[in-house]
Every structure is written in C-alpha cells, then in structure tokens.
Amino acid sequence: MAVRAVRGAVQLERDEAGHMDDQVRQLLTAILERNALTPDDLISVWFTATPDLHSDFPAAAARGLGIVDVPLICAQELDIAGALPRVVRILAHIESDLPKSQIAHVYLGAAATLRKDIAQ
C-alpha cells in the first residue's frame, strides 16, 4: 500500500452553511467513489476555502459523513485578484494501491476550470 494524494474542488453558489455542507459532502463522496476508497483509506484531509466563504468549516461536512477518526484541517486560500470565488478545495492523503497516474482528481461544476489538465 502506497501513500498517495488526491485533489478536488467545488465552487459554491452561495456562502450558506447548509449549501457548503451539501457541496463538500458531494465532493468528498465523489473523491472516495472515483478512487474506490473508504474512510479507512484516508490518512488526513486538508480543506481550503476562498476568503469569501465564512458560513462554516468545510471539514464539518466530512464529520457529517462519519469521517471521525481522520485528522482534518481547514485553511484559507490566498486572496488573489481574479481568482474563482466561493471555492472549497480538498487535498486528501490516502493509502492506495493505485499508481499516481490512476488517481482520479475531482473538480465539480465550475471548479473544473481550475485544473483542466486533471479534472474528471
């Protein structure tokens, strides 16, 4: 089993706690499903949010999915002029037998524009 990293992002339509919870759950679920992972395969997860998101911690959505024994941390993205607004990003460290080239990075909705080279 190797340690790998998987990325993902989603753009929220609005800064509202319930909406953030729903969108982050969808993103995290898609990352797990597309990489055939279970919560036991997670080592740690970093969540970042753009400075315009204030309604909740993105990591709360993971806890709501039952991911309770994995270290999670939230941080704020840099405030760069012209950057896509209302974006939550995930960087998950995982245990997987997949080679790096087969890791499915997940960019949902408008966030797919962030990484056209790896977005699914």
Side-chain angles (χ1 to χ4, degrees):
M1 204 57 80
V3 173
R4 301 282 186 233
V6 59
R7 292 282 320 265
V10 64
Q11 183 183 38
L12 279 58
E13 294 175 14
R14 60 193 173 281
D15 183 22
E16 181 182 282
H19 179 62
M20 179 182 290
D21 183 73
D22 178 62
Q23 294 297 297
V24 174
R25 282 182 190 226
Q26 284 184 36
L27 175 60
L28 192 50
T29 299
I31 288 170
L32 293 172
E33 288 176 354
R34 293 182 193 180
N35 289 286
L37 300 169
T38 69
D40 285 339
D41 298 318
L42 295 171
I43 297 169
S44 64
V45 184
W46 281 81
F47 297 85
T48 65
T50 50
D52 52 1
L53 294 175
H54 309 279
S55 62
D56 203 358
F57 294 100
R63 298 291 185 223
L65 285 174
I67 300 171
V68 296
D69 62 350
V70 175
L72 308 175
I73 192 165
C74 296
Q76 189 176 79
E77 285 286 332
L78 296 173
D79 192 9
I80 305 297
L84 196 62
R86 299 177 318 280
V87 174
V88 173
R89 291 173 174 85
I90 291 177
L91 171 63
H93 298 97
I94 62 171
E95 291 181 319
S96 177
D97 287 326
L98 291 174
K100 288 180 187 178
S101 62
Q102 290 183 13
I103 296 293
H105 304 282
V106 180
Y107 290 78
L108 299 179
T113 62
L114 296 170
R115 290 298 306 265
K116 293 178 184 178
D117 56 325
I118 61 173
Q120 305 298 306

